Amino acid sequence: MPDSVRHACSFLFVPATQPERLPKALASGADLVIADWEDAVAPADKERARTALADALAALPAPQRARLLVRINSEATPWFAADLQALAQLTAQGLAGAVVPKAERAQTLQAVAQAAGPQAALVPLV
């Protein structure tokens, strides 16, 4: 788990559909910024949110990527599988990890961990 996640005390959420807010959020003093694919994104915009975050991540320097998590959609939604595929690509590019909402089963966390990779942090919301 990255030290940026291990020692974090403050978190700032930003809708992933508004990636232009990420640099300002990262400069805000919050320990971590969480790009939201879940509640802050309308169902019709889920795919656009994934693409927007991928594009924004590519423009960020590595130290800022290490302070960025993404809150994925829960396993019970139709977006979970696509979120895991996108998560795998983003963590390979330096995203710190994922916030997992409604994490009620160990199998869910195992699936997210497998997609995210061994260096990624998981922040389960129970």
Side-chain angles (χ1 to χ4, degrees), residues 16-124:
T17 52
Q18 297 177 330
E20 69 279 0
R21 293 184 180 180
L22 288 173
K24 186 174 180 180
L26 287 161
S28 72
D31 293 321
L32 291 174
V33 172
I34 301 169
D36 195 0
W37 286 344
E38 191 200 25
D39 290 341
V41 177
D45 294 330
K46 299 291 187 180
E47 182 60 36
R48 184 170 65 89
R50 288 187 210 98
T51 302
L53 181 57
D55 292 345
L57 187 69
L60 294 174
Q64 289 185 342
R65 292 177 191 186
R67 293 181 41 234
L68 185 62
L69 297 169
V70 62
R71 179 167 64 170
I72 63 174
N73 289 281
S74 78
E75 180 181 35
T77 68
W79 307 289
F80 183 71
D83 283 359
L84 293 187
Q85 289 178 331
L87 176 64
Q89 294 171 354
L90 296 178
T91 55
Q93 296 170 16
L95 183 81
V99 175
V100 185
K102 301 170 188 78
E104 299 171 356
R105 300 177 337 119
Q107 295 90 335
T108 302
L109 293 175
Q110 289 170 340
V112 177
Q114 184 175 3
Q119 299 300 329
L122 296 186
V123 180

